[in-house]
Amino acid sequence: MTSTNALPAAATLDAFASTKLAGLERSELRRRLVETDGHDAVRVEQDGRALLNFCSNDYLGLSRHPGVIAAAQAAAARYGTGSGASRLVTGGHPLLFELEACLARFKGSEDCIVFGSGYLANLAIAPALTGSGDLILIDELAHACLFAGAQLSRARVETFRHNDLGDLESKLADLRPEARRAMILTDGVFSMDGDLAPLPGLLALADRFDAWALVDDAHGVGVVASGRGSAHAFNPPALAPLQMGTLSKSLGSYGGYLCASSAVCELLRTRARPLVFTTAPAPASIAAALQALALIQTDTALCQRPTALARRFCAAAGLPEPVSPIVPVILGSASAALEASSRLREAGFLVTAIRPPTVPRGTARLRITFSAAHDEADIDRLAALISAWTPQYEAAE
Ligand SMILES: *Cc1c(COP(=O)(O)O)cnc(C)c1O
């Protein structure tokens, strides 16, 4: 390839990118894409090295399930590989409508809309429902795409302290009166910490202050409350009016969704830009998700296994009991997390270091996730390794 630097503006562009990269490298925040070849749900290969994957979100191994793969293959044969247009033009293949009906039944909502990804769903929801003059309160540890959607909406965006209902209440009391409409945004299961949002209290505050709660259950469905999701970790279930999720994690496919009332879903079908101006998801992805959803609704033992394995791991490693398959081992600096990750790699475990801005500065970590496809013996080996050198472990003793 010839260099593009012949043109003056291209040269300043490359200089900008190189300087930025060098800065990120110095602070150990540069990230790299690594080719990863998967052999099954947990066995992968990187740079010719066989590794056990302990950082995937394919919690149930369904991306490798023969029935799910067969459904995707049949859909590609019947409907083609791409959907060819936006849902509102001609992209609305029958499987999308079928999946929306199944998800609405599963979540107990009137209606559902499927999006191209979970990220796109969250870019769609807040901007369709709020604008300038409105208020969005968001948990400080909520997923980046909830923040991105909030920012796009042009509403006033304020964070509240993680899972702190007192802080949420005082911010609502201060800021709600001057806002026209208000939303509260939170993860159901926090993606980097694995803890649950206090949904019953949060929904009670939302009702008291007339604020619309959006709960992102990307890490709840399939693995929490026997697969039913974080709302069902409470009795009675804590059902937010806006229940968002992804097809890309325990469902083993790709896509996102919102379950809500008919009125809300109809408004989004007309107004949500990440639905209107993007091509509909591929038929194979939707067929895979349909098949996976059917499995999740029938195989409770499968859905219980990832969190049970996380509990086994934490008991062996001396870590607090987890409520989901996500176990954070917080190490502090980016370099400590990178070093821990590379030591695990030496021992045959793939646990990618999680650094800012994915997590707050000073809380870089290993984020260990458990899959139904893991073996107990491998989990015990990993626990022995972690407990041998984790400072947090010694502190917890
Ligand atoms: C992964 C994730 C998303 C994004 O979903 P994709 O389908 O991967 O785009 C949204 N919210 C949370 C909490 C996530 O962890």
Side-chain angles (χ1 to χ4, degrees), residues 313-314 316-320 327-332 336-337 339-341 343-344 351 364-368 381-397:
F313 169 81
C314 288
L319 294 165
V327 174
V329 178
I330 295 170
L331 296 166
E339 157 79 15
S341 173
R343 283 167 74 173
L344 287 181
V351 184
R365 68 195 63 189
L366 298 176
R367 170 187 179 267
I368 306 175
R381 271 200 307 130
L382 180 62
L385 271 173
I386 299 260
S387 60
W389 49 259
T390 309
Q392 185 195 42
Y393 168 76
E394 281 148 27
E397 281 294 87

Side-chain angles (χ1 to χ4, degrees), residues 355-367:
R355 294 168 282 163
T358 308
V359 292
R361 204 157 275 285
T363 71
R365 68 195 63 189
L366 298 176
R367 170 187 179 267

Side-chain angles (χ1 to χ4, degrees), residues 117-119 143 145 187 191 216 218-219 246 248-249 255:
S117 74
Y119 199 108
H143 194 266
C145 61
D187 291 16
S191 59
D216 175 340
H219 297 278
T246 177
S248 324
K249 287 165 183 165

